[in-house]
Amino acid sequence: MSFIEEIKERARKNKKTIVLPESEDRRIYEAAAKVLDQGIANVIIIGKDQVIRKKSTGFDISGATLIDPEKFDRLAEYIGKLVEIRKNKGMTAEMAQEILLTDYTTFGVMMVKMGDADGMVSGACHSSANTLRPCLQILKTAPGTKLVSAFFLMIVPNSSFGAKGTFVFGDCGLNQSPSSEELAAIAESSARSFELLTGKEAKIAMLSHSTKGSARHEDIDKVTRAVQIAHEQYPDLKIDGELQLDAAIVPEVAAFKASGSPVAGKANVLIFPDLDAGNIGYKLVERLGGAEAYGPLTQGIAAPVNDLSRGCNADDIVGVVAITAVQAAAQDWGE
């Protein structure tokens, strides 16, 4: 059984309700039909009846719950709650109603906030900013979280590296130029995400263009300081750096460049020094290495809401829905 099939099986055993707000995109209906057919999750699709009928032609979504915000019987409650949450930012009932009736992503986030859904998946046809902004405004950060960040779950075919080809890459979707303190927080969150989804111990490499002082630059200093902070704040984590990518994942290179490292040559969680490197890195592995890339998946938000790459296909969406359901189930148990 492939890794993503294992995730789907875990989702089936504790079925959650996931809201999909992008009713204008046909990929959503193809994905929803597969999610329902495979029994991965309950599905809510937000949109106007006529749009859903037109766009869903050819896909069996009869098991989905379809919600038109204008006809929703709890709309007044949602408006009141949104005003309460955003009143310090000048939100009025009129403004809240306008947002909820026109911005389906915000409506989906409110469904999660109000307990009518366990998680949300969006981003197929919206930017990451448009997907994540209402999450941060409405759901806020999880207790004890220092930083909301994003990661990709990467599954590289026929690979002996990482956890048999499975990696977490962070941050590849949210924080542009994280400080040392932020890199340490991203490493901690990414390690927990890896362990939740794989059940294996995280081995975290803080990546750089240098390995153990082979070059000198302030960008390298940022990474080495992040490692020091992580060791101080998260002593249970197996983390090392700065490491070049080959030293991080290839045992033969690690033996030469970083002998004695507890992580080098065995890393399965790769932390990139900035968003440029992370975004380029995951797309190289996906497009040239043929990897499955699921994300950007968020970590640190009070409820599971995950972004999609706008280049995703229906199977990518199905995978992210399954991951979101597993994250939601883990929250039930306080994992």
Side-chain angles (χ1 to χ4, degrees), residues 117-136:
D118 299 300
M120 186 183 81
V121 173
S122 186
C125 55
H126 290 86
S127 70
S128 294
N130 287 339
T131 296
L132 296 176
R133 187 183 303 109
C135 302
L136 297 172

Side-chain angles (χ1 to χ4, degrees), residues 254-289:
F256 176 70
K257 290 187 174 182
S259 178
S261 168
V263 168
K266 303 184 285 282
N268 47 37
V269 176
L270 305 180
I271 305 302
F272 293 82
D274 57 42
L275 187 59
D276 288 336
N279 186 272
I280 292 166
Y282 102 76
K283 287 185 177 179
L284 278 171
V285 176
E286 178 187 23
R287 300 300 181 179
L288 298 185

Side-chain angles (χ1 to χ4, degrees), residues 13-224:
K13 290 179 179 178
N14 191 350
K15 192 176 289 187
K16 296 298 178 182
T17 298
I18 307 301
V19 58
L20 304 174
E22 296 176 304
S23 53
E24 63 270 43
D25 194 311
R26 274 181 61 81
R27 290 172 294 176
I28 295 301
Y29 300 101
E30 182 181 356
K34 291 183 177 184
V35 168
L36 294 167
D37 180 63
Q38 297 174 34
I40 294 168
N42 302 314
V43 173
I44 298 172
I45 299 174
I46 302 171
K48 294 190 177 299
D49 296 340
Q50 62 271 27
V51 173
I52 293 175
R53 282 196 300 270
K54 179 180 179 181
K55 294 285 188 177
S56 65
T57 301
F59 301 115
D60 182 4
I61 59 164
S62 56
T65 298
L66 310 178
I67 292 180
D68 180 343
E70 290 185 358
K71 302 176 182 178
F72 187 55
D73 59 4
R74 295 187 64 195
L75 179 60
E77 291 179 61
Y78 277 35
I79 291 170
K81 187 64 174 179
L82 184 55
V83 170
E84 177 188 331
I85 294 169
R86 301 288 292 163
K87 62 185 177 182
N88 291 339
K89 299 296 183 179
M91 181 69 68
T92 65
E94 293 75 16
M95 294 166 60
Q97 178 171 314
E98 176 68 16
I99 291 169
L100 290 170
L101 293 181
T102 59
D103 183 350
Y104 294 166
T105 298
T106 298
F107 191 92
V109 173
M110 283 299 299
M111 293 202 78
V112 177
K113 180 70 174 180
M114 300 294 282
D116 292 321
D118 299 300
M120 186 183 81
V121 173
S122 186
C125 55
H126 290 86
S127 70
S128 294
N130 287 339
T131 296
L132 296 176
R133 187 183 303 109
C135 302
L136 297 172
Q137 292 173 343
I138 295 167
L139 297 174
K140 314 292 185 181
T141 57
T145 297
K146 295 181 178 180
L147 180 74
V148 173
S149 57
F151 69 95
F152 272 82
L153 180 66
M154 305 296 296
I155 304 173
V156 185
N158 305 314
S159 175
S160 61
F161 300 134
K164 296 182 179 179
T166 299
F167 293 87
V168 158
F169 286 13
D171 181 334
C172 301
L174 189 56
N175 293 286
Q176 179 66 49
S177 184
S179 66
S180 297
E181 291 76 10
E182 290 169 334
L183 279 176
I186 291 167
E188 192 270 342
S189 293
S190 298
R192 307 308 178 202
S193 294
F194 178 85
E195 292 175 350
L196 167 66
L197 295 173
T198 70
K200 297 179 173 63
E201 181 185 28
K203 298 172 184 176
I204 311 138
M206 306 295 278
L207 298 181
S208 174
H209 68 275
S210 167
T211 294
K212 298 296 184 178
S214 64
R216 295 187 181 280
H217 191 274
E218 60 184 18
D219 289 346
I220 301 168
D221 295 339
K222 181 179 81 166
V223 175
T224 57

